[in-house]
């Protein structure tokens, strides 16, 4: 049986969360046709993200876009 930490950390420190937020805002601000392809390597290079962090930023950008509609 696995245990779930209570009141623990999300695994992201403040700096990486700020990088993810910045990357998500950048991506959400770009029109679809102006987004670099492939997006994950581009975001990793531009913001210094891990592959997982880049995917989180992409998800967050999608949520920002959906909220704006």
């Amino acid at each position: 049986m696995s245990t779930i930490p209570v009141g623990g950390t999300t695994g992201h420190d403040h700096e990486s969360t700020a990088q993810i937020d910045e990357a998500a805002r950048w991506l959400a601000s770009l029109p679809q046709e102006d987004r670099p392809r492939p997006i994950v390597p581009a975001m990793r290079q531009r913001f210094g993200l891990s592959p997982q962090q880049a995917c989180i930023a992409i998800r967050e950008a999608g949520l920002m876009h959906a909220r704006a509609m």
Side-chain angles (χ1 to χ4, degrees):
M1 181 167 111
S2 67
T3 61
I4 299 173
V6 177
T9 178
T10 61
H12 297 289
D13 62 29
H14 178 70
E15 182 178 330
S16 70
T17 300
Q19 289 171 302
I20 292 168
D21 292 344
E22 181 182 357
R25 284 191 301 272
W26 170 78
L27 186 59
S29 73
L30 293 177
Q32 192 76 18
E33 63 273 5
D34 291 341
R35 292 180 177 187
R37 301 231 186 337
I39 190 65
V40 172
M43 292 182 77
R44 292 190 68 205
Q45 181 177 11
R46 184 178 183 107
F47 296 99
L49 301 174
S50 70
Q52 180 185 15
Q53 290 170 321
C55 291
I56 292 168
I58 294 166
R59 182 189 70 215
E60 291 299 317
L63 292 172
M64 288 176 190
H65 181 73
R67 281 186 229 125
M69 296 192 87

